[in-house]
């Protein structure tokens, strides 16, 4: 009966263990992953025949949701039926591009890591509960004859059955670590700032990719238009050659030559149509929308002139190479990134060296002991402690050496980044100069080819030229038009590359005025000799 009463008291005094057991049997914490299988599949299978509302909607970054004025319609994450300008395409990519949204999450992760490190500066409070049931068979417990002290069991438990619970509330605070916590926090803050700068550079990279793909889409449309005109001209020549063959003016060889030109023109048109589809798919991918979405592009609001006949000379780029390099030094986020990376690595060395020194902290504990056949008590304990690892088998030396290696690697990476920036600016500037020269040259070549075709066509109409002569003139004009289109859109891509290489918006680069040339220094005149004029 006494044993039964003890068991009843045991369960009455242990509500927390029973609650823990019940919670454990109920299951562990488990969060469902936000996987939208249907949405991912639809993003892959969406076709151009679908209407814009039927295409899978891209995910917008939470901090990039556009503000909607009262009474205004909400902005759609997909372009509408109107053509998409280059600036609109870049703004849309800034909101929905998955790669850019993934990069932005690194900033959130770095901010969370900084919060974790900062927690080391604050005290920690923990609560623990322990329940024990002990059955012990011990020898003599008490004071033996002739002795002055009580004889206790080895483990401190008396004979018989005992059950008790202990509730502990502990407060810990690390007072001083010789700069280790501060170094780790500085590292976390620097990594947070690096993540923000890298996100800005990723945004610029996405903008450049969109600009390049946009120019390629426009070039694909221009190539298709040239191919269509070539097919029409070739078909007209073939009809004339067939009629003249029937009249006995031309031979079968001339007709076959015209038929070959028509076949070549149709093959080029097929390739051009395929190029338009591929270019639009690449543009959609760069923006971050469904690949099969029927995006429309336009020549409006481009930083280059609209093509005309004859093509106009491109707007001059008013900056010298040295000025572009200066813009890059002041605006490229990578320069700030590498400097902060070196600082973060240096603080890592400080954190590693602090491990050689002791840790000073305080601890306060309150305990409540309650049970059966035990001495119930309330214990309050507080104190200060010093922990010093005397020997760790070379671990600390290895950590310091690794941190110092990180510093040297960060310095080398900074030098590599600087070389890369200079190289990218040089390449972008050379591309601009090359594209401008090609535009001027192809403009002249196109005008000459167009005039040649007009003259040959006039001779052909008078009967002084063969269809083969017209075919040759048309081929030369087609080649000149294609070269003109390539040069024009290469200039647009070169401007976008300069924007990416300098980290400065293109509007700022185009509006910048070149620095005034230094005044010419005239050679000093020799002093005049008395009786003689200046040297002649």
């Amino acid at each position: 009966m006494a044993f039964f009463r003890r068991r009843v008291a045991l369960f009455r005094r242990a509500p927390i263990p029973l609650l823990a057991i019940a919670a454990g049997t109920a299951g562990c914490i488990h969060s469902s992953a936000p996987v939208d299988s249907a949405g991912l599949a639809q993003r892959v299978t969406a076709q151009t025949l679908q209407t814009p509302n039927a295409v899978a909607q891209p995910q917008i970054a939470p901090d990039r949701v556009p503000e909607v004025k009262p009474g205004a319609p909400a902005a759609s994450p997909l372009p509408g039926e109107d053509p998409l300008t280059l600036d609109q395409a870049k703004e849309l990519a800034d909101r929905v591009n998955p790669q850019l949204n993934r990069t932005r999450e690194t900033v959130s992760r770095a901010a969370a890591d900084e919060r974790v490190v900062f927690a080391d500066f604050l005290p920690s409070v923990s609560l623990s509960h322990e329940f024990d049931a002990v059955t012990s068979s011990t020898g003599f417990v008490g004071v033996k004859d002739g002795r002055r002290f009580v004889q206790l069991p080895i483990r401190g438990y008396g004979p018989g059955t005992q059950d008790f619970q202990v509730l502990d509330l502990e407060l810990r605070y690390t007072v001083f670590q010789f700069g280790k916590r501060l170094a780790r926090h500085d590292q976390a803050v620097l990594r947070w700032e690096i993540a923000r700068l890298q996100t800005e550079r990723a945004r610029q990279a996405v903008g450049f990719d969109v600009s390049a793909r946009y120019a390629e889409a426009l070039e694909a449309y221009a190539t298709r238009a040239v191919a269509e005109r070539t097919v029409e001209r070739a078909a007209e020549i073939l009809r004339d050659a067939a009629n003249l063959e029937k009249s006995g003016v031309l031979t079968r060889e001339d007709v076959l030559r015209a038929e070959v030109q028509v076949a070549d023109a149709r093959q080029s048109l097929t390739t051009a149509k395929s190029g338009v589809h591929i270019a639009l798919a690449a543009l959609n991918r760069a923006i971050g929308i469904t690949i099969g979405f029927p995006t429309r592009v336009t020549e409006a609001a481009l930083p280059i002139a609209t093509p005309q006949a004859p093509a106009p000379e491109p707007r001059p780029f008013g900056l010298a190479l040295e000025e572009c390099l200066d813009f890059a030094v002041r605006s490229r986020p990578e320069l700030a990134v590498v400097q902060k990376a070196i600082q973060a690595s240096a603080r890592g060395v400080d954190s590693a060296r602090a491990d050689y020194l002791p840790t000073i902290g305080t601890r306060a504990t309150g305990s409540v002991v309650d049970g059966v056949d035990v001495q119930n008590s309330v214990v309050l304990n507080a104190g200060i402690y010093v922990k010093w690892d005397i020997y760790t088998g070379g671990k600390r030396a290895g950590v310091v050496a690794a941190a110092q290696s990180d510093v040297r690697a960060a310095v080398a990476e900074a030098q590599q980044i600087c070389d890369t920036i200079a190289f990218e600016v040089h390449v972008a500037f050379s591309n601009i100069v090359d594209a401008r020269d090609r535009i001027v040259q192809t403009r002249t070549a196109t005008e000459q080819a167009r005039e040649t075709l007009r003259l040959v066509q006039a001779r052909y109409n008078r009967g002084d030229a063969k269809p083969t002569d017209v075919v040759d003139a048309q081929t030369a004009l087609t080649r000149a038009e294609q070269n003109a289109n390539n040069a024009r859109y290469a200039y647009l891509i070169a401007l976008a590359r300069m924007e990416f290489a300098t980290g400065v918006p293109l509007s700022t680069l185009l509006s910048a005025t070149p620095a005034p040339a230094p005044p010419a220094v005239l050679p000093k005149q020799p002093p005049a000799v008395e009786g003689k004029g200046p040297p002649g």
Side-chain angles (χ1 to χ4, degrees), residues 204-448:
Q204 295 175 0
V206 170
F208 167 69
D209 193 21
V210 171
S211 298
R213 303 293 87 76
Y214 197 96
E216 291 174 357
L218 291 174
E219 183 179 0
Y221 275 114
T223 301
R224 188 181 68 177
V226 172
E228 290 173 348
R229 292 196 299 269
T230 303
V231 170
E232 294 175 358
R233 290 194 294 257
E236 183 179 354
I237 293 298
L238 177 60
R239 287 192 299 268
D240 292 343
N243 293 332
L244 293 176
E245 181 194 14
K246 294 177 182 179
S247 302
V249 177
L250 299 179
T251 63
R252 181 61 181 168
E253 180 183 356
D254 297 325
V255 177
L256 292 176
R257 177 77 177 272
E259 290 178 349
V260 170
Q261 189 202 19
V262 171
D264 291 341
R266 288 175 177 171
Q267 291 180 8
S268 299
L269 179 58
T270 300
T271 303
K273 290 180 178 179
S274 176
V276 169
H277 179 76
I278 295 174
L280 289 179
L283 175 61
N284 290 339
R285 183 174 182 269
I287 295 175
I289 60 178
T290 307
I291 299 299
F293 187 83
T295 303
R296 298 173 59 194
V297 295
T298 177
E299 294 273 352
L302 288 180
I304 55 177
T306 303
Q308 300 172 359
E313 185 176 350
R315 178 180 179 181
F317 187 74
L319 296 177
L321 176 60
E322 293 76 10
E323 295 171 313
C324 295
L325 291 171
D326 183 64
F327 268 122
V329 170
R330 289 181 290 162
S331 304
R332 282 288 290 264
E334 293 94 324
L335 288 175
V337 167
V338 295
Q339 294 176 35
K340 293 182 182 297
I342 294 174
Q343 295 173 7
S345 300
R347 296 299 281 157
V349 175
D350 297 337
S351 176
R353 287 175 175 170
D355 287 337
Y356 283 96
L357 302 174
T359 298
I360 303 174
T362 60
R363 178 175 55 230
T365 306
S367 302
V368 178
V369 181
D370 183 23
V372 178
D373 293 338
V374 297
Q375 184 175 2
N376 299 338
S377 60
V378 176
V379 180
L380 299 178
N381 178 29
I384 185 171
Y385 66 90
V386 176
K387 179 182 178 182
W388 197 348
D389 294 330
I390 304 300
Y391 179 71
T392 59
K395 176 182 177 181
R396 290 174 296 190
V399 173
V400 171
Q404 292 173 341
S405 177
D406 291 340
V407 173
R408 294 190 294 270
V411 172
E413 184 179 4
Q415 296 172 350
Q416 182 182 7
I417 293 286
C418 292
D419 295 341
T420 301
I421 292 175
F423 174 76
E424 291 176 351
V425 174
H426 277 77
V427 170
F429 190 84
S430 298
N431 288 343
I432 290 176
V433 175
D434 174 74
R436 278 181 49 79
D437 293 343
R438 287 170 55 195
I439 288 177
V440 175
Q441 295 168 5
T442 55
R443 180 185 60 178
T444 303
T446 303
E447 293 174 357
Q448 293 173 348

